[in-house]
Amino acid sequence: MKKLRVQIENLHCASCVQGVEKGLSSLDGIEDIQVNLALKEALITYSPLETNASIICKKINNLGFKALPKKENSSPIDELKSARYKALLAGVLAIPLMVISMTPQFHSVWIELSLSSAILLIGYQFFTRGILDLIKRKSATMDTLVAIGVGTAYLSSSWQIFQESPPPYYFETAGMLVFFILLGRYLEARAKGKTSSAIRKLIDLAPQKAIRIKDGVEEECLAKDLRIDDVVLVKAGQKIPADGLVIEGRSTVDESMVSGESLPTEKIEGSNVIGATINGMGKLLIRVKKIGKDSFLQQVIQVVEEAQRSKVPIQKLADQIAAYFVPFVVILAFISLVTWWNMGMGWEFSLQCFVAVLIIACPCSLGLATPTAIIVGTGIGAERGILIRNPSALQAAKKIRTLVFDKTGTVTKGHPQVKEIQTNGISEDDLLSIAASLEQGSAHPLAQAITKEASAKALALQSMKQIKVHNGLGISARKGDSNFYLGNQLFLQEQGIEIPATESLDFTTVYLGQDQQYLGFIACEDSLKPEASASIGKLKSMGMRCLLLSGDRQQVAEAVGQKLGMHEVFAGVLPKNKAAKIQELQSKGKRVAMIGDGINDAPALAQADLSIAVANGSDIAIEAADIVLIRNDLMAIAETFFLSQVMMRKIKQNLFWAFFYNILTLPIAAGVLYPSFGILLHPMIAGAAMAFSSVSVVGNALLMKNQFTKN
């Protein structure tokens, strides 16, 4: 399957979104379609064996829209400038039109006709798109409603002039309606520009230039021209131009802009660095390791962009209603026109109700309710080092009350140290040398602790053959005529090696055996993350039940669980059985979130109702996780749940007000209150109300930033 991302011009309401999705779904080979009204984008997943990008774009164009490949996308600034220009030009003409229509001494029907015609010409796209929607897609959208409402007022007035019929005329109504709608579009574009500010901030982080060392000589080059294995010099206060490895120097690096980590991180020879972060007071020589789309910053941008284009389940309600809403409004408008005409209220009154119903009910706010909240929410998360890969999971997060934590690398630092060695018929150095020889090349935290200890003692490593990793148990190898086994107690027992009773330790222990002989053990300690206890306490105060899941011995896991205040501890659980443990909790009716480091936790993360992965270093490619924490701080978990609550609250508020607005205003526009209370909604007021309803939805989503800051 391939993915195509396109910008779609002329996308203005929820009905437009429905039209694109319905139209594309008729093509062969289309797997998934995600159209985002707020971003005016579509992400289409398709089979290249059955269709291609050219066919897809042609289909979108045939539907009455305009598909632009990603490289041709117009920027939000261009859209804002265009909307501002049209609104300003229409306003310059609309003000004298209103003054002339309301002032008898200046009244001139021909001037009104000229001014309103000019305003309608500025908003000509309402009419061209509205007609195309009916002809090409055989469905009505917001543009259709505007075209019918405004066009009826304008054409009926023009007909009256040429028939030399007496007033009233509705040129000012037609002109002011177009002006209000264009003004609303400008305000909406301006507000939407603020919702996606997080992406622009991330893009702006990338440095433009770098100092490359070539043949021992410094040369300035563009950062985009760097290649893997190039060596760059980063002076104090400069941005690091690419992801890489420190090969010389010592400094601290401010990584807050991409990870949310407030404290600078110390960097020495061998440390990984992230492009776009800021070097402190030292000087660093860095070998480039990742460029372009593989760089950390580009991965973050891609994750955030994909999340912002996604839909949450609650949005399906708005989409379903929008599919039927516009045709319903058109029918209601004609019913109100015919009803009042038959009741003898006259053409002026009937037409006013007809136009007001069409204009007041444009479903822009319905289409913007969910995506604007998602854009703001995912942007806030990115700024805080919380990458939301799957916004749908945030809707499920509200019902989650059970959190399962992996131990090593999640609540602990993931950098254990050797604390004790006990031997049986062998020296400590020989035992450590054999263990390090077995573990060399392994990325497991315990393996790194053992090899680091052997390196510190300058022990020579031995040549091992037939090395085999037994996932969750240990490692075996052969040297000469002997078989060596290094792993947990169960693993050695399975090999027929009897382990004598040893001193009870609260450390993680690995045992070494040769053939059928027990040689001793190495005990390692992995310290807790400093914020782990406070994070668990915060989550418990939010009503969460916190559980620890570990493959370690019961005593070690219990000791960690007790320090953290966990409600329950599951020890001795092999990686392959972690998913089954999650499933067991779910079978008891619990909604479960799994928090792991993504190394051995992928099956459990995939099984959980919500999966949160704690990324290591600059690696965020954890496909099984809904949310990835790139900030090395477990307090981000509590922030994630708070963010999900705020985001879902904003989505529901937006949907409520969008629905409530239409339910409240449609009857008023149709004239229901006129017989009893004499209340009638003028089409110009309806136009202003419709325009500002979309702005209010976007503005409400933007308030999320203030709520999150105050938390």
Side-chain angles (χ1 to χ4, degrees):
M1 289 294 173
K2 293 185 69 175
K3 290 187 176 183
L4 172 67
R5 177 185 170 192
V6 293
Q7 186 90 15
I8 302 180
E9 287 188 355
N10 310 336
L11 198 69
H12 294 298
C13 68
S15 294
C16 298
V17 173
Q18 282 281 305
V20 174
E21 292 180 342
K22 185 178 179 181
L24 289 179
S25 63
S26 65
L27 289 177
D28 293 333
I30 299 296
E31 179 72 18
D32 184 54
I33 310 159
Q34 294 181 11
V35 181
N36 188 299
L37 175 61
L39 295 174
K40 297 186 184 299
E41 285 184 0
L43 181 65
I44 302 109
T45 306
Y46 66 95
S47 169
L49 299 176
E50 298 180 77
T51 189
N52 56 50
S54 177
I55 293 174
I56 294 171
C57 289
K58 184 178 179 180
K59 180 65 174 180
I60 295 173
N61 293 336
N62 289 339
L63 290 170
F65 301 97
K66 185 177 180 181
L68 300 173
K70 183 180 177 181
K71 63 180 181 180
E72 297 178 19
N73 284 356
S74 58
S75 69
I77 295 177
D78 294 334
E79 180 186 351
L80 185 62
K81 285 182 178 178
S82 176
R84 181 171 55 201
Y85 173 76
K86 289 182 178 180
L88 182 62
L89 190 57
V92 169
L93 298 171
I95 293 173
L97 173 63
M98 179 59 71
V99 171
I100 291 171
S101 66
M102 297 178 64
T103 310
Q105 57 267 37
F106 297 120
H107 188 273
S108 170
V109 70
W110 294 105
I111 295 178
E112 287 184 40
L113 173 62
S114 301
L115 290 173
S116 63
S117 299
I119 296 172
L120 267 60
L121 187 61
I122 296 170
Y124 76 96
Q125 291 174 317
F126 294 128
F127 304 96
T128 56
R129 289 196 298 256
I131 295 170
L132 284 173
D133 289 338
L134 287 174
I135 295 175
K136 291 191 174 183
R137 295 194 287 116
K138 295 180 175 58
S139 64
T141 64
M142 169 193 166
D143 293 327
T144 308
L145 298 181
V146 173
I148 295 174
V150 173
T152 301
Y154 177 82
L155 292 175
S156 65
S157 299
S158 300
W159 176 259
Q160 284 181 265
I161 289 178
F162 291 106
Q163 291 296 315
E164 298 183 353
S165 300
Y169 305 112
Y170 306 99
F171 292 119
E172 81 284 356
T173 299
M176 292 303 293
L177 279 175
V178 172
F179 165 62
F180 281 134
I181 296 169
L182 290 173
L183 178 61
R185 288 275 173 88
Y186 163 64
L187 296 174
E188 181 185 314
R190 185 176 178 180
K192 283 195 296 185
K194 295 180 181 179
T195 64
S196 55
S197 60
I199 287 289
R200 292 199 302 277
K201 286 180 182 177
L202 288 171
I203 294 172
D204 291 342
L205 287 176
Q208 299 299 311
K209 296 182 179 180
I211 301 174
R212 181 166 51 195
I213 306 297
K214 194 171 184 179
D215 298 327
V217 179
E218 296 181 15
E219 64 174 21
E220 190 177 86
C221 68
L222 295 175
K224 66 179 183 179
D225 293 335
L226 290 174
R227 296 293 177 263
I228 293 175
D229 288 332
D230 279 352
V231 176
V232 294
L233 170 66
V234 184
K235 299 177 181 178
Q238 290 183 336
K239 283 187 177 182
I240 296 173
D243 296 4
L245 187 73
V246 177
I247 59 175
E248 185 180 314
R250 186 186 189 100
S251 185
T252 57
V253 175
D254 179 2
E255 298 179 336
S256 61
M257 64 285 295
V258 292
S259 70
E261 184 67 58
S262 58
L263 296 176
T265 306
E266 185 178 17
K267 302 294 181 181
I268 58 175
E269 185 177 337
S271 298
N272 290 312
V273 291
I274 300 171
T277 55
I278 301 174
N279 185 27
M281 299 305 295
K283 186 166 64 174
L284 297 174
L285 274 181
I286 297 168
R287 188 177 300 280
V288 175
K289 292 299 181 184
K290 291 181 180 179
I291 57 174
K293 65 179 182 179
D294 296 324
S295 69
F296 177 82
L297 182 61
Q298 286 301 319
Q299 286 186 64
V300 171
I301 291 171
Q302 182 180 352
V303 168
V304 176
E305 285 181 335
E306 289 185 1
Q308 291 183 345
R309 288 192 295 270
S310 301
K311 291 185 178 182
V312 294
I314 196 173
Q315 189 173 343
K316 292 179 181 179
L317 175 64
D319 291 343
Q320 290 170 354
I321 290 177
Y324 301 99
F325 185 72
V326 174
F328 166 76
V329 169
V330 174
I331 293 171
L332 180 62
F334 278 104
I335 290 175
S336 64
L337 174 69
V338 174
T339 300
W340 290 119
W341 177 265
N342 289 333
M343 291 176 64
M345 296 302 293
W347 174 248
E348 179 184 358
F349 185 94
S350 303
L351 180 63
Q352 187 167 325
C353 292
F354 174 76
V355 175
V357 168
L358 289 173
I359 299 300
I360 197 72
C362 290
C364 302
S365 54
L366 274 178
L368 292 169
T370 300
T372 49
I374 290 176
I375 291 171
V376 176
T378 52
I380 292 172
E383 291 172 356
R384 300 288 299 171
I386 303 167
L387 289 187
I388 302 169
R389 300 174 65 103
N390 179 16
S392 296
L394 294 180
Q395 186 169 336
K398 185 178 179 181
K399 298 180 180 179
I400 287 174
R401 288 296 176 269
T402 303
L403 306 184
V404 178
F405 289 81
D406 173 55
K407 180 176 75 69
T408 304
T410 302
V411 297
T412 66
K413 292 181 178 179
H415 302 293
Q417 295 179 323
V418 174
K419 289 296 182 181
E420 184 176 348
I421 300 175
Q422 284 194 12
T423 63
N424 180 37
I426 188 175
S427 70
E428 285 190 10
D429 285 353
D430 285 344
L431 185 145
L432 187 59
S433 173
I434 294 171
S437 301
L438 287 163
E439 295 284 22
Q440 60 180 320
S442 173
H444 193 282
L446 290 177
Q448 293 180 343
I450 291 170
T451 54
K452 184 178 180 181
E453 184 71 11
S455 177
K457 292 185 176 183
L459 299 179
L461 299 184
Q462 304 175 32
S463 177
M464 296 285 180
K465 297 181 179 180
Q466 300 177 25
I467 297 176
K468 183 179 180 181
V469 176
H470 304 262
N471 194 27
L473 294 170
I475 189 168
S476 62
R478 187 171 180 82
K479 179 186 177 186
D481 296 328
S482 297
N483 293 313
F484 289 90
Y485 306 96
L486 181 71
N488 59 27
Q489 190 171 2
L490 175 63
F491 179 55
L492 265 69
Q493 288 174 344
E494 287 180 350
Q495 314 308 320
I497 300 173
E498 184 179 348
I499 298 177
T502 58
E503 182 182 352
S504 181
L505 296 170
D506 289 342
F507 300 145
T508 301
T509 306
V510 291
Y511 301 89
L512 179 65
Q514 179 180 357
D515 297 325
Q516 304 298 308
Q517 181 185 358
Y518 169 69
L519 297 181
F521 70 76
I522 301 173
C524 301
E525 182 183 36
D526 189 5
S527 57
L528 294 173
K529 291 181 178 178
E531 78 285 356
S533 181
S535 175
I536 300 300
K538 176 71 173 176
L539 290 166
K540 289 167 69 175
S541 71
M542 295 170 67
M544 303 294 184
R545 181 173 174 79
C546 300
L547 314 178
L548 186 67
L549 186 63
S550 174
D552 220 329
R553 293 184 299 118
Q554 186 71 38
Q555 184 174 346
V556 177
E558 288 283 0
V560 172
Q562 187 174 3
K563 290 177 183 177
L564 295 175
M566 292 284 185
H567 288 100
E568 195 172 353
V569 174
F570 301 107
V573 183
L574 298 177
K576 64 180 181 180
N577 296 329
K578 287 183 177 181
K581 180 59 69 174
I582 299 296
Q583 195 171 22
E584 179 185 327
L585 292 169
Q586 291 171 328
S587 68
K588 297 177 182 178
K590 300 182 184 298
R591 307 277 292 184
V592 182
M594 173 70 190
I595 299 99
D597 61 5
I599 298 174
N600 294 319
D601 303 319
L605 289 168
Q607 177 63 42
D609 299 291
L610 175 67
S611 52
I612 302 176
V614 181
N616 295 312
S618 61
D619 181 20
I620 64 168
I622 304 174
E623 296 297 333
D626 299 312
I627 297 169
V628 178
L629 305 181
I630 56 175
R631 177 171 127 221
N632 190 22
D633 183 355
L634 290 178
M635 290 301 292
I637 298 172
E639 290 183 16
T640 299
F641 279 94
F642 179 73
L643 178 59
S644 74
Q645 292 170 5
V646 173
M647 193 165 93
M648 290 310 302
R649 190 183 308 132
K650 286 299 178 186
I651 289 174
K652 290 178 179 179
Q653 287 174 358
N654 284 348
L655 288 174
F656 170 78
W657 286 113
F659 287 132
F660 180 77
Y661 164 82
N662 284 293
I663 292 171
L664 178 66
T665 57
L666 269 174
I668 300 174
V672 171
L673 298 181
Y674 185 79
S676 300
F677 304 99
I679 297 176
L680 188 65
L681 191 65
H682 194 280
M684 283 190 287
I685 298 176
M690 182 277 292
F692 285 99
S693 67
S694 299
V695 178
S696 65
V697 164
V698 179
N700 187 45
L702 288 170
L703 290 176
M704 197 187 309
K705 293 184 178 181
N706 295 334
Q707 288 183 265
F708 195 81
T709 304
K710 292 176 182 177
N711 178 46

